[in-house]
């Protein structure tokens, strides 16, 4: 089985590093044209040089900036990509009882509302092509809420409900909508989380890292490209009958069936 995405155009959000970069890399490796989107212009330029082929593009956008979101919507409307990967860094950690209304508003704007605008921009082209792949990178917290991530848990659940509803409405047009739920993946965000937990618990960073790794049945943290492998499969013809699901990529850590 060889995944071939030649002739397809993917827009991958949050792709300057980590999981987003891993997904962009694997989609490009499979032959798709990829437009990488993130705030960090220098890192996007580096990623473009690393991707397979010279036909890829980049868009510098900060999803907290309304103008940037509008410009990205216009780009999508003009280019009609048939693959959209919604991927945005998670909200700051903290107990939900201490969260402000503005924390929820900011998170929902960046994740749910921006994703919705991008999907709406993609739909005319996807429907005309009778093909479309929408992938939302969210969190295993949609299966089991994660302690200390109150705003994130709430936002991720909103994304999951929105995504499932979309999948039902869009399936007749040959468009699938699925969620990827990363577990502990080796990224800067995971390193920051480990550092915060280490400080809160007054233990060395390496000890906290070992404690977290020990909770994963696979005995290790995942790699960004392992998220990319699933994304490429879901975007291919092999994934055409997989729709409306949330798939953990977590080494078996999530304690649900």
């Amino acid at each position: 089985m060889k995944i071939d995405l030649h002739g397809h155009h993917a827009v991958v959000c949050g792709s300057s590093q980590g999981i987003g970069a891993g997904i962009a890399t694997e989609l490009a490796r499979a032959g798709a044209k990829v437009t990488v989107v993130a705030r960090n212009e220098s890192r996007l330029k580096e990623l473009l040089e690393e991707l397979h082929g010279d036909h890829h593009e980049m868009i510098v956008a900060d999803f907290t900036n309304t103008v940037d979101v509008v410009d990205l919507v216009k780009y999508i409307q003009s280019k009609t990509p048939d693959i959209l990967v919604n991927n945005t860094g998670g909200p700051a950690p903290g107990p939900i009882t201490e969260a402000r209304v503005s924390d929820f508003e900011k998170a929902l704007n960046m994740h749910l509302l921006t994703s919705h605008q991008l999907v709406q921009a993609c739909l005319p082209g996807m429907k005309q092509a009778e093909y479309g792949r929408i992938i939302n990178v969210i969190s295993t917290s949609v299966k089991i809420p994660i302690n200390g991530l109150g705003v994130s848990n709430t936002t991720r659940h909103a994304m999951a409900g929105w995504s499932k509803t979309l999948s039902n409405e869009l399936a007749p047009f040959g468009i699938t909508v699925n969620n990827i739920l990363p577990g502990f993946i080796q990224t800067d965000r995971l390193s920051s989380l480990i550092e915060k937990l280490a400080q809160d618990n007054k233990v060395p960073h390496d000890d906290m890292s070992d404690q977290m790794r020990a909770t994963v049945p696979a005995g290790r943290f995942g790699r960004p490209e392992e998220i990319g492998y699933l994304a490429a499969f879901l975007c291919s013809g092999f994934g055409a009958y997989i729709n409306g699901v949330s798939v953990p990529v977590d080494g078996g850590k999530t304690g649900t069936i």
Side-chain angles (χ1 to χ4, degrees):
M1 182 177 68
K2 179 177 174 58
I3 293 175
D4 186 354
L5 297 178
H6 286 87
H8 295 292
H9 178 192
V11 171
V12 183
C13 301
S15 50
S16 61
Q17 60 185 347
I19 289 172
I23 292 174
T25 298
E26 294 309 317
L27 296 184
R29 193 189 305 274
K33 172 185 175 179
V34 179
T35 298
V36 291
V37 182
R39 293 175 298 179
N40 191 325
E41 182 175 4
S42 61
R43 180 61 192 118
L44 286 179
K45 289 179 178 179
E46 292 175 3
L47 180 60
L48 281 185
E49 294 178 357
E50 297 168 4
L51 294 181
H52 297 260
D54 57 2
H55 56 298
H56 307 294
E57 298 178 346
M58 60 177 271
I59 299 289
V60 178
D62 181 344
F63 286 177
T64 64
N65 185 323
T66 302
V67 174
D68 285 359
V69 174
V70 170
D71 287 345
L72 180 56
V73 165
K74 290 179 180 178
Y75 171 86
I76 288 174
Q77 291 171 333
S78 67
K79 299 289 186 176
T80 62
D82 51 10
I83 296 170
L84 172 65
V85 179
N86 289 311
N87 172 55
T88 306
I96 200 167
T97 52
E98 296 180 8
R100 299 165 298 182
V101 170
S102 59
D103 295 329
F104 290 104
E105 290 175 338
K106 179 181 178 181
L108 288 169
N109 276 325
M110 284 186 62
H111 293 264
L112 179 60
L113 302 186
T114 296
S115 296
H116 187 66
Q117 291 178 74
L118 300 185
V119 166
Q120 288 185 319
C122 287
L123 287 183
M126 289 181 174
K127 287 180 177 179
Q128 183 175 3
E130 297 182 336
Y131 169 96
R133 297 291 187 267
I134 299 167
I135 295 176
N136 306 302
V137 181
I138 44 181
S139 167
T140 58
S141 66
V142 305
K143 300 286 188 179
I144 300 177
I146 300 172
N147 291 337
L149 295 180
V151 176
S152 180
N153 291 338
T154 305
T155 305
R156 305 304 195 180
H157 274 266
M159 283 287 294
W162 166 79
S163 175
K164 182 63 176 178
T165 306
L166 272 179
S167 72
N168 293 336
E169 294 185 5
L170 297 179
F173 301 98
I175 302 169
T176 66
V177 187
N178 294 293
N179 304 320
I180 296 178
L181 315 181
F184 292 148
I185 307 298
Q186 293 173 335
T187 62
D188 289 345
R189 178 169 170 80
L190 179 61
S191 296
S192 297
L193 177 61
I194 292 172
E195 183 60 33
K196 184 180 187 306
L197 290 172
Q199 292 175 0
D200 290 346
N201 291 276
K202 296 180 172 57
V203 298
H205 182 281
D206 289 348
D207 288 355
M208 180 54 63
S209 181
D210 290 342
Q211 289 179 33
M212 293 175 65
R213 192 178 293 108
T215 67
V216 182
R220 66 176 178 86
F221 296 147
R223 302 185 302 274
E225 61 266 29
E226 291 179 299
I227 305 295
Y229 300 153
L230 176 58
F233 178 82
L234 291 173
C235 289
S236 73
F238 300 117
Y241 205 55
I242 301 172
N243 188 38
V245 301
S246 294
V247 185
V249 182
D250 65 352
K253 182 181 185 301
T254 304
T256 60
I257 296 175

